[in-house]
RNA sequence: GCUCCGGUAGUGUAGCUCGGCCAAUCAUUUGGGACUCUCACUCCCAAGACUGGGGUUCAAAUCCCCACCGGAGCACCA
């Protein structure tokens, strides 16, 4: 192909990977604002990657902000703060700034007071159900008419801890008759007496996401917000505040629901429960869609990044398959992964008349990195799956070793048949493991595989390798038993 | 019930702003083939879509209306 044509192809491919342009007037400041009530998941990685990518595209700023303002229901996890930083960095999205909401509660109080004084917020003592009934019929509650002074006094009492949990909330006045019920006089602060994992019992009055996020986005100078469409109404609620305070709302766009075939609908809290019950080994269990898990399985950050950028930012609800991510990952790890034999559910195969042989198998089929030498004298292990397909009298090739003829199935026996490569045909080559091989356990999303591998696997801790005819894996730990995490086919 | 958003091949996506160059892009997937001592990689070939109905127009995936389908919000969660 002509070089200029190849050039053109590359150009085209580059274009695919780009996100749609942003409407930029004056710089770009993006943020990802998770609640650290668990580690980052694939869903949050989308937010991290897309927002960071936009900041990068426009030489802007990328901020990681922890919206950890609920010490009770979605209680933050102390370790998760550092995990988020780690995961962002690993994904190639190192934040330029990190902000923690629970450090800045006093500021939120200041703005609350300001809004109360402006007559744009009021302390509401209605029971939740009572208010809902009023709101649904477009009726104001009696507390809405309280004077600014009266509200200020109640607010101070709230802060002083004079009310019980659920006894009072601060509401932002919007339009109680607004046609959209989701926008009518929303809650900005509520009382929570549970201690916060970071700041303890310093505060008993906590802002709701809509309030905290509204203030922070302004203070941090966020120019563009890109997030899930579940937060669409949040924008409409916050815009009332922005108008009262004379601020300009960032430009926004929202993407749809993302569902991953292979993982179903696992929420952070759902995963937490399952881990506590012992169903999973931990947050980085390979069966969980957390970034920590992907990292442990040998999924490359670039693969995740391209995958996310390819998904784009459309408002459509999408259901994606991990196959696409795996294909992306395979392209990256195939050149670097050395090849080894691993036999799961091993069956001992006795070979008659075989001369002692040193098998020489290439570490990589396309790149010359030398060979692995495996000494074999007579017997080897083969996969139960392969045994089940064997027929008596069949001639097979033990890959990189020699040929055999199956002479018996019940006790599995074979006969040495020389080394003639011309017998090789599709489906007649199987892999094997030496009888003195190492014990290997592979933890895969669907099951755990136990078996025997060749000695050389020991020399690859933390590396991604390919177990031939099995799949790509990452060597997790090397002890008496080698622990391995399965990546994909 | 009220409010909002969206519907391009199996899956995701480009095209829609400013209608014609769209018999619709790219990737993945699936099928076939080549190569190969892996069911991996690479390469080649093929398959497969504008939700439906009206309207505007010389011309509609693109603009307008209706219908249908999907999703989100209406929390003292984020």
């Amino acid at each position: 192909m002509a070089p200029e044509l190849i050039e053109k192809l590359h150009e085209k491919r580059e274009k695919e990977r780009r996100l749609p342009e942003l409407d930029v007037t004056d710089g770009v400041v993006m943020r990802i604002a998770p609640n650290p009530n668990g580690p980052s998941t694939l869903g949050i990685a989308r937010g991290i990657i897309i927002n960071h990518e936009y900041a990068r595209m426009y030489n802007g700023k990328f901020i990681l902000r922890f919206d950890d303002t609920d010490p009770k229901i979605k209680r933050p996890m102390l370790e998760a703060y550092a995990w988020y930083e780690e995961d962002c960095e690993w994904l190639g999205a190192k934040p330029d700034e990190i902000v923690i909401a629970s450090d800045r509660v006093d500021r939120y109080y200041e703005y609350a007071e300001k809004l109360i004084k402006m007559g744009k917020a009021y302390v509401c003592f209605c029971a939740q159900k009572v208010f809902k009934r009023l709101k649904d019929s477009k009726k104001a509650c009696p507390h809405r008419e309280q004077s600014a002074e009266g509200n200020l006094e109640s607010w101070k009492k709230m802060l002083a801890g004079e009310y019980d949990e659920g006894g009072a909330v601060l509401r932002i006045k919007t339009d109680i008759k607004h046609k959209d019920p989701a926008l009518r006089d929303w809650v900005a602060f509520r009382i929570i007496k549970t201690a916060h994992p970071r700041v303890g019992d310093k505060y008993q009055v906590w802002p709701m996401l809509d309030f905290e996020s509204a203030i922070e986005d302004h203070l941090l100078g966020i120019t563009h917000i890109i997030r899930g469409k579940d937060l669409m109404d949040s924008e409409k609620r916050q815009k009332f505040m922005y108008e009262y305070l004379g601020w300009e709302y960032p430009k926004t766009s929202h993407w749809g629901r993302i569902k991953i075939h292979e993982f179903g609908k696992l929420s952070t809290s759902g995963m937490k429960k399952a881990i506590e019950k012992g169903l999973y080994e931990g947050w980085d269990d390979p069966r969980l869609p957390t970034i920590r898990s992907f990292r442990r399985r040998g999924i490359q950050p670039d693969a995740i990044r391209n995958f996310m950028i390819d998904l784009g930012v459309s408002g459509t609800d999408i259901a994606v398959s991990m196959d696409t991510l795996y294909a992306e990952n395979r392209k990256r790890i195939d050149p670097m992964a050395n090849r080894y034999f691993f036999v799961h559910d091993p069956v001992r195969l006795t070979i008659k008349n075989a001369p002692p042989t040193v098998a020489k198998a290439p570490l990589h089929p396309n790149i010359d990195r030398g060979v692995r030498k495996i000494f074999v004298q007579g017997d080897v292990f083969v996969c139960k799956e392969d045994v089940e397909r064997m027929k008596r009298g069949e001639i097979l090739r033990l890959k990189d070793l020699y040929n055999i003829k199956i002479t018996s199935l019940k006790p599995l026996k074979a006969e040495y048949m020389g080394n003639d490569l011309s017998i090789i045909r599709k489906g007649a080559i199987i892999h094997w493991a030496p009888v003195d091989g190492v014990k290997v356990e592979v933890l895969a999303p669907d099951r755990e595989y136990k078996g025997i591998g060749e000695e050389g696997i020991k020399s690859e801790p933390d590396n991604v390798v390919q177990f031939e005819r099995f799949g790509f894996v990452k060597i997790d730990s090397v002890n008496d038993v080698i622990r391995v995490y399965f990546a994909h086919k």
Side-chain angles (χ1 to χ4, degrees):
Chain A
M1 201 186 277
E4 59 268 24
L5 278 178
I6 295 171
E7 191 77 6
K8 221 173 186 177
L9 274 176
H10 283 305
E11 243 172 56
K12 226 175 181 180
R13 201 163 275 191
E14 273 306 300
K15 216 174 170 185
E16 284 312 311
R17 303 282 171 186
R18 209 165 290 146
L19 254 15
E21 293 291 322
L22 234 40
D23 175 17
V24 178
T25 47
D26 188 20
V28 170
V29 181
M30 311 292 300
R31 47 76 160 180
I32 175 77
N35 176 12
N37 60 337
S40 52
T41 59
L42 201 57
I44 294 161
R46 188 182 191 187
I48 293 172
I49 289 162
I50 299 294
N51 280 287
H52 174 266
E53 180 62 16
Y54 270 127
R56 197 194 57 76
M57 270 168 69
Y58 295 97
N59 286 314
K61 197 169 158 188
F62 172 63
I63 298 171
L64 168 62
R65 187 182 75 216
F66 293 106
D67 284 355
D68 58 343
T69 57
D70 175 17
K72 199 174 176 183
I73 299 170
K74 289 194 177 171
R75 189 176 171 78
M77 211 175 128
L78 233 29
E79 311 94 298
Y81 292 84
W83 289 353
Y84 261 98
E85 289 182 48
E86 255 174 57
D87 289 350
C88 282
E89 242 175 274
W90 181 74
L91 287 167
K94 189 178 160 69
D96 299 303
E97 191 181 336
I98 296 171
V99 175
I100 304 179
S102 56
D103 276 345
R104 295 156 61 105
V105 175
D106 290 327
R107 299 187 202 210
Y108 312 143
Y109 288 170
E110 282 170 34
Y111 285 100
E113 192 171 320
K114 195 169 174 183
L115 286 161
I116 293 168
K117 285 177 177 163
M118 291 168 74
K120 298 299 186 190
Y122 62 99
V123 177
C124 174
F125 298 95
C126 292
Q128 209 170 334
K129 278 184 185 167
V130 173
F131 187 87
K132 179 175 167 51
R133 209 173 305 136
L134 288 168
K135 181 206 72 180
D136 285 345
S137 52
K138 301 185 178 178
K139 287 194 186 107
C141 81
H143 314 107
R144 197 177 204 264
E145 303 314 319
Q146 179 62 261
S147 67
E149 296 73 37
N151 277 319
L152 202 56
E153 200 178 309
S154 302
W155 170 245
K156 294 257 160 80
K157 283 186 183 167
M158 248 176 103
L159 293 181
E162 289 188 26
Y163 306 126
D164 290 332
E165 244 176 66
V169 295
L170 186 75
R171 287 186 186 278
I172 298 297
K173 255 188 218 177
T174 62
D175 174 1
I176 201 70
K177 292 183 164 59
H178 199 285
K179 62 174 182 171
D180 184 347
L183 310 189
R184 297 171 196 157
D185 286 19
W186 49 274
V187 173
F189 286 84
R190 82 294 210 190
I191 298 163
I192 298 174
K193 306 236 171 179
T194 307
H196 188 282
R198 280 190 74 252
V199 297
D201 53 11
K202 193 171 170 189
Y203 306 106
Q204 298 194 346
V205 175
W206 287 92
M208 300 288 289
L209 172 79
D210 282 339
F211 191 90
E212 175 267 337
S213 174
I215 300 293
E216 287 295 0
D217 286 338
H218 174 77
L219 295 180
L220 296 171
I222 304 298
T223 58
H224 303 259
I225 298 171
I226 302 181
R227 58 187 165 195
K229 71 178 180 184
D230 48 317
L231 261 15
M232 234 171 206
D233 287 345
S234 204
E235 170 174 355
K236 292 178 195 151
R237 283 190 284 264
Q238 292 175 333
K239 274 186 170 164
F240 283 95
M241 260 175 77
Y242 270 65
E243 197 186 309
Y244 300 151
L245 296 165
W247 295 346
E248 193 189 335
Y249 202 82
K251 294 181 177 115
T252 58
S253 66
H254 301 265
W255 57 64
R257 260 300 230 233
I258 177 168
K259 228 193 297 174
I260 299 148
H261 287 316
E262 288 82 346
F263 292 103
K265 44 193 186 302
L266 278 178
S267 65
T268 301
S269 42
M271 285 189 257
K272 192 174 208 157
K273 269 186 199 143
I275 291 167
E276 279 162 8
K277 268 199 265 173
L279 263 52
Y280 301 111
E281 290 192 338
W283 287 103
D284 54 1
D285 188 290
R287 292 160 290 193
L288 258 23
T290 61
I291 297 306
R292 313 183 68 68
S293 160
F294 289 133
R295 180 163 57 210
R296 205 160 179 191
R297 290 170 55 191
I299 308 294
Q300 304 299 298
D302 275 8
I304 301 178
R305 198 178 177 88
N306 274 345
F307 174 70
M308 290 302 176
I309 290 173
D310 254 9
L311 289 190
V313 289
S314 82
T316 323
D317 298 316
I318 55 177
V320 296
S321 163
M322 292 295 291
D323 283 350
T324 317
L325 211 205
Y326 294 158
E328 195 72 54
N329 197 55
R330 194 150 39 224
K331 283 180 204 152
R332 290 174 167 72
I333 61 178
D334 183 76
M336 62 193 234
N338 284 332
R339 268 56 172 176
Y340 292 98
F341 291 147
F342 160 70
V343 168
H344 68 270
D345 306 312
V347 178
R348 194 175 178 118
L349 168 66
T350 308
I351 305 164
K352 241 196 286 179
N353 304 329
T357 309
V358 176
K360 293 186 187 114
L363 275 164
H364 195 281
N366 313 321
I367 304 163
D368 185 20
R369 282 209 282 259
V371 295
R372 357 182 290 251
K373 293 180 184 166
I374 313 159
F375 178 69
V376 177
Q377 189 163 22
D379 294 9
V380 296
F381 283 120
V382 291
C383 231
K384 192 178 159 205
E385 266 177 24
D386 287 327
V387 175
E388 279 161 4
R389 279 192 290 261
M390 286 176 190
K391 278 172 251 153
R392 232 173 74 171
E394 188 180 17
I395 293 176
L396 293 174
R397 170 76 181 172
L398 292 175
K399 189 168 185 293
D400 302 307
L401 187 62
Y402 45 59
N403 305 331
I404 54 164
K405 182 186 197 173
I406 306 298
T407 54
S408 158
L409 287 172
K410 293 152 279 164
L412 190 61
K413 285 182 186 170
E415 207 173 80
Y416 176 75
M417 288 295 282
N419 202 23
D420 178 12
L421 284 177
S422 67
I423 74 121
I424 295 170
R425 58 175 211 281
K426 232 179 146 79
I429 301 165
I430 61 168
H431 67 292
W432 49 275
V435 288
D436 58 349
V438 294
K439 280 189 188 160
V440 178
E441 285 177 16
V442 182
L443 195 52
D446 53 326
R447 60 167 280 204
E448 193 165 359
Y449 296 90
K450 290 188 180 180
I452 305 292
E454 56 182 278
E455 183 88 14
I457 298 169
K458 273 187 174 170
S459 65
E460 301 261 10
D462 293 326
N463 287 349
V464 175
V465 303
Q466 188 203 44
F467 287 167
E468 296 195 53
R469 304 210 306 140
F470 181 78
F472 291 93
V473 300
K474 186 168 179 190
I475 310 302
D476 193 63
S477 64
V478 175
N479 294 309
D480 292 347
V481 176
I482 297 174
R483 292 280 290 169
V484 170
Y485 270 39
F486 185 76
H488 48 74
K489 265 285 187 196

